[in-house]
Amino acid sequence: KLLVVPVDGSHWLSMREVLDILHQKGHEVVVVAPEVTMHIKPSENFVMKRHSVPYTQEEMERDFKAFLQTSFEEGSFVERFLKVYEGMKKFSEMSAACCQELLQNKELIRYLEESKFDALLTDPVVPCGVILAEHLSLPSVYFLRGIPCGLDFEATQCPNPPSYVPRAFSQLTDRMSFLQRVKNLLFDTQNLFLCDFAYDPFSKLASEFLQREVAVQDLLRKGSVWLLRLEFVLDYPRPLMPNIIPIGGVHCAHKGLPQ
């Protein structure tokens, strides 16, 4: 019996395929989602539990599209950083507000507590499911492409040295000169700012809900299995811990090869 706390947008499209297969294999799947979504819709393959949110469909789509647009715009590092900073701030505030509505829904939380799930599947880029897993004392399976600021590296204790791993916005490759490695190190400092405002609201939510001081990083470390939607044909190779499994092929159409 699997509890699923998904993230909307393209994140959901990959997860939905997995849930369909899990249903075919006889697993009982319950999906918890907000009333306002882009792609998360009811299906005969799982039970859907909805909760209210403090924003409309129009507000959600407007902010989401604006955030995506900034990711593809060109310009100087400062221009791109400020745009992404503002976009992430709005996206983080909206996600935190959605999570707060879920955690404050006493009727839904009581249902989840009484349902006796075996595990929880979530995309930890929005760590609401991570908080629920801790509250319900459930082993958690993470289904993700990555987490901003390198929190996935920190939580799994995977090496992530700026001497070798290119940082966001740097436009560097994994082959760098000495001066490029220095530049990469400087670009790494942005994570100190981005992580604070992006995940502080969730740390506060978790501390209030669990009634003890806790940080998102502490909760992420408790993930049982990390299903990483990476494909090393496209992504730079990186160290992996034994509980991290690359599943980049989930993005690909499955076609039978001719003889």
Side-chain angles (χ1 to χ4, degrees), residues 9-222:
S10 58
H11 296 252
W12 165 251
L13 301 180
S14 296
M15 183 178 280
R16 185 183 61 196
E17 290 191 29
V18 174
L19 299 185
D20 291 342
I21 299 298
L22 288 172
H23 172 76
Q24 292 175 21
K25 291 179 176 290
H27 300 284
E28 183 180 344
V29 179
V30 176
V31 175
V32 174
E35 291 176 344
V36 175
T37 63
M38 293 179 66
H39 298 302
I40 304 175
K41 308 298 180 187
S43 167
E44 60 184 14
N45 291 335
F46 52 78
V47 175
M48 176 78 84
K49 293 293 181 180
R50 298 277 197 180
H51 62 86
S52 61
V53 290
Y55 50 80
T56 65
Q57 185 80 28
E58 292 74 21
E59 290 171 335
M60 185 267 295
E61 291 185 0
R62 181 195 65 214
D63 289 346
F64 199 73
K65 288 176 181 176
F67 175 65
L68 290 179
Q69 186 66 32
T70 60
S71 302
F72 296 100
E73 289 182 357
E74 296 183 354
S76 69
F77 167 73
V78 174
E79 289 174 333
R80 287 180 294 149
F81 178 81
L82 291 176
K83 286 179 180 179
V84 170
Y85 178 94
E86 195 60 36
M88 282 187 67
K89 186 176 181 181
K90 285 186 178 180
F91 183 70
S92 178
E93 288 172 352
M94 181 175 288
S95 300
C98 175
C99 184
Q100 185 172 20
E101 289 291 327
L102 166 57
L103 299 179
Q104 290 180 348
N105 189 323
K106 295 182 179 180
E107 183 178 344
L108 179 55
I109 294 297
R110 189 181 308 113
Y111 163 80
L112 299 178
E113 291 171 344
E114 295 172 352
S115 294
K116 305 299 181 186
F117 292 99
D118 297 304
L120 185 145
L121 174 66
T122 190
D123 188 328
V125 70
V126 176
C128 202
V130 178
I131 299 172
L132 265 183
E134 178 70 9
H135 174 69
L136 300 172
S137 299
L138 292 175
S140 50
V141 179
Y142 298 157
F143 185 85
L144 72 157
R145 183 70 173 79
I147 305 179
C149 327
L151 279 188
D152 48 340
F153 286 89
E154 184 179 337
T156 56
Q157 296 184 318
C158 283
N160 188 28
S163 300
Y164 297 93
V165 183
R167 295 312 194 238
F169 302 114
S170 69
Q171 297 181 323
L172 295 170
T173 71
D174 58 342
R175 299 196 176 199
M176 295 177 271
S177 66
F178 174 74
L179 290 179
Q180 286 175 325
R181 295 183 200 281
V182 173
K183 175 185 175 181
N184 199 47
L185 178 62
L186 295 176
F187 272 74
D188 196 39
T189 59
Q190 63 179 298
N191 290 335
L192 301 175
F193 305 101
L194 291 176
C195 264
D196 281 347
F197 81 80
Y199 288 105
D200 267 3
F202 290 98
S203 293
K204 292 175 183 175
L205 274 178
S207 298
E208 292 172 5
F209 184 66
L210 300 172
Q211 297 185 334
R212 70 178 190 275
E213 197 68 28
V214 66
V216 168
Q217 294 93 319
D218 301 327
L219 299 179
L220 284 173
R221 290 188 184 104
K222 299 188 178 183

